[in-house]
Amino acid sequence: MANSIEQSITDAVIARFHESPNPRMRQVSEALVRHLHNFVREVRPTQDEWGVAIDFLTKTGQMCDDVRQEFILLSDTLGVSMLVDAINNTCEHGETESTVLGPFYVQNPTEYPNGANIAGKMKGQPLYISGRVLSADGKPVANAAVDIWHSDEAGFYDVQQMDVVGGLAGRARLHTDGEGRFSCWTIEPIEYPIPTDGPVGKMLTEQGRHPWRPAHVHFMVGAPGYRTLVTHLFVKGNKYLDSDAVFGVKEALIREFPKHPPGKAPDGSVQAQAYSTLDYDFKLAKA
Ligand code: BEZ
Ligand code: FE
């Protein structure tokens, strides 16, 4: 028979929230304590194990700075980011599906004109990205902001190797033209492991999991009157599509990145080396 505190502590804690002036705070606090206490009653940690849990969370916080967000990684690898995304971004009218933001987004990236090369000093095979931004019923959205970011041929983002690429690279903000079109040149991304040098990396090892994400390009697409879309397009055929470390893959976001020999590219330029293309029309939900 469990002792009485084990049973009574939950109601005793929840009772302290009754005077909260904020009903949402009260609801969230109650649910948090209920689930947390049930978790502890189920797992029955030893004092040492609880110490390990506190230490894990402490180290997760200590790992965070301006460019490293270990708590986002934790949320991503436990599938919580995709759960929050699923709750908040339903697509009922054929809009483009969303997925995780990830830790490598940079606010207000450098703006480039359509057609520009955004790769900077990043190395990789040339990739031409083009497409349109449309409303769910297929009307062009002019002047939409299209933020793009991706890894290089070694699987690193610019913010992970500022000393090598000398600043932001493989990252841009474009704006759609009057027909909703956007385009740029950059380089092809490759699969990469999420950062494993912190507590989340250790957690994955202990859970017997790999840290890899399938190759993808990130997009954040926004325009007044529309819900901001945070998504990726994944390279079809990549070996990690079925086991993404952060559960971000959706079938509709897997695309061909066809390869082309040197020669005339879709923007009329003549390419001296082989290149790939990615063409996609994003459909935005109304705000
Ligand atoms: C990313 O795709 O940039 C990413 C997403 C989640 C965790 C780590 C990286
Ligand atoms: Fe990524």
Side-chain angles (χ1 to χ4, degrees):
M1 180 71 180
N3 70 45
S4 61
I5 294 232
E6 183 176 327
Q7 296 310 321
S8 64
I9 185 78
T10 306
D11 285 345
V13 177
I14 286 175
R16 301 278 174 99
F17 308 145
H18 286 172
E19 304 298 316
S20 169
N22 180 340
R24 180 67 171 158
M25 181 65 188
R26 182 171 152 182
Q27 180 199 16
V28 171
S29 301
E30 282 188 15
L32 174 69
V33 167
R34 228 177 328 105
H35 288 279
L36 193 55
H37 286 202
N38 282 337
F39 168 79
V40 172
R41 277 186 285 262
E42 179 186 327
V43 172
R44 310 198 78 72
T46 62
Q47 291 286 355
D48 281 353
E49 285 174 334
W50 191 240
V52 171
I54 299 286
D55 191 48
F56 173 78
L57 291 175
T58 304
K59 290 204 168 95
T60 300
Q62 286 168 340
M63 197 80 198
C64 296
D65 59 27
D66 287 352
V67 291
R68 177 70 181 263
Q69 233 303 350
E70 195 75 358
F71 268 112
I72 294 183
L73 270 192
L74 182 59
S75 161
D76 293 343
T77 50
L78 293 179
V80 181
S81 302
M82 282 307 285
L83 182 56
V84 173
D85 175 64
I87 289 166
N88 287 285
N89 294 302
T90 49
C91 297
E92 278 146 19
H93 308 285
E95 299 95 346
T96 301
E97 305 239 20
S98 53
T99 188
V100 285
L101 175 66
F104 300 125
Y105 179 65
V106 171
Q107 306 266 357
N108 301 316
T110 312
E111 300 197 10
Y112 284 85
N114 282 308
N117 193 319
I118 67 163
K121 287 189 183 154
M122 268 192 169
K123 291 206 172 65
Q125 293 293 311
L127 169 68
Y128 181 67
I129 302 178
S130 60
R132 289 179 300 167
V133 177
L134 306 171
S135 59
D137 56 0
K139 300 208 172 65
V141 180
N143 206 31
V146 181
D147 290 1
I148 299 179
W149 68 108
H150 58 79
S151 66
D152 66 6
E153 66 178 4
F156 292 109
Y157 284 79
D158 50 359
V159 292
Q160 296 175 288
Q161 47 169 346
M162 288 303 227
D163 47 337
V164 177
V165 293
L168 298 181
R171 175 186 303 278
R173 175 167 293 166
L174 308 173
H175 285 96
T176 55
D177 66 14
E179 294 174 335
R181 294 186 186 283
F182 66 90
S183 62
C184 66
W185 282 95
T186 187
I187 53 146
E188 248 190 87
I190 195 168
E191 65 268 22
Y192 62 85
I194 62 168
T196 54
D197 54 341
V200 171
K202 281 210 184 92
M203 178 190 79
L204 294 183
T205 305
E206 294 284 325
Q207 291 173 338
R209 299 165 58 183
H210 74 66
W212 290 87
R213 297 217 64 208
H216 58 271
V217 179
H218 291 258
F219 295 89
M220 183 186 285
V221 185
Y226 294 92
R227 190 169 77 196
T228 297
L229 171 68
V230 175
T231 196
H232 317 348
L233 294 173
F234 294 92
V235 180
K236 193 171 176 176
N238 189 272
K239 64 178 171 180
Y240 294 111
L241 285 171
D242 291 332
S243 63
D244 182 5
V246 303
F247 308 95
V249 179
K250 293 178 177 175
E251 196 61 36
L253 301 176
I254 301 173
R255 308 294 298 176
E256 300 274 4
F257 283 49
K259 297 219 182 306
H260 309 274
K264 200 166 177 193
D267 65 342
S269 66
V270 177
Q271 296 298 309
Q273 71 182 110
Y275 63 95
S276 303
T277 49
L278 168 64
D279 189 60
Y280 190 81
D281 290 346
F282 294 97
K283 285 195 168 173
L284 300 185
K286 285 251 157 19

